[in-house]
Amino acid sequence: MDVGEYIRRKEREKNNKKAAQEIDLGKYTSMSEEQLMQELFRVANSSGVSNEELDSFYRNAEPYLTPEQKEKMRNIIMQLKR
């Protein structure tokens, strides 16, 4: 295998991994808040997301949230940490 082939293969692997991680937002647009919450807890519990990752997510999202949204997100994260 030459260097060019190695680089192209690594780039393809990186692109495939990125595509697999992208969220299909279309499937969530028709869900109710209750359905979204159930999906959130299902995915979070099955993926083994850590408390540190949850805290990091909150810190990154916080500047874009209203006070009401911040409170709701804090409550959700506390439930996910259990």
Side-chain angles (χ1 to χ4, degrees):
M1 171 179 5
D2 67 9
V3 173
E5 183 181 335
Y6 175 79
I7 291 170
R8 286 187 294 277
R9 184 175 56 116
K10 285 296 185 180
E11 192 64 31
R12 278 193 310 270
E13 289 172 2
K14 184 173 92 174
N15 290 338
N16 290 341
K17 184 177 181 181
K18 183 179 178 184
Q21 291 175 342
E22 288 181 3
I23 297 173
D24 179 14
L25 297 178
K27 76 178 190 178
Y28 298 113
T29 57
S30 63
M31 290 184 175
S32 68
E33 182 177 351
E34 182 179 337
Q35 290 170 320
L36 286 169
M37 294 296 291
Q38 289 173 349
E39 179 72 359
L40 170 67
F41 282 92
R42 184 189 67 75
V43 170
N45 289 330
S46 68
S47 69
V49 65
S50 71
N51 290 347
E52 293 79 23
E53 290 170 313
L54 291 169
D55 291 336
S56 175
F57 173 76
Y58 179 77
R59 283 191 304 276
N60 290 326
E62 184 180 24
Y64 305 100
L65 302 175
T66 66
E68 180 182 287
Q69 291 170 327
K70 289 177 189 180
E71 181 64 29
K72 193 171 209 173
M73 184 170 285
R74 274 194 299 267
N75 290 333
I76 291 169
I77 288 174
M78 293 300 291
Q79 291 176 31
L80 287 169
K81 287 182 175 183
R82 293 183 192 164

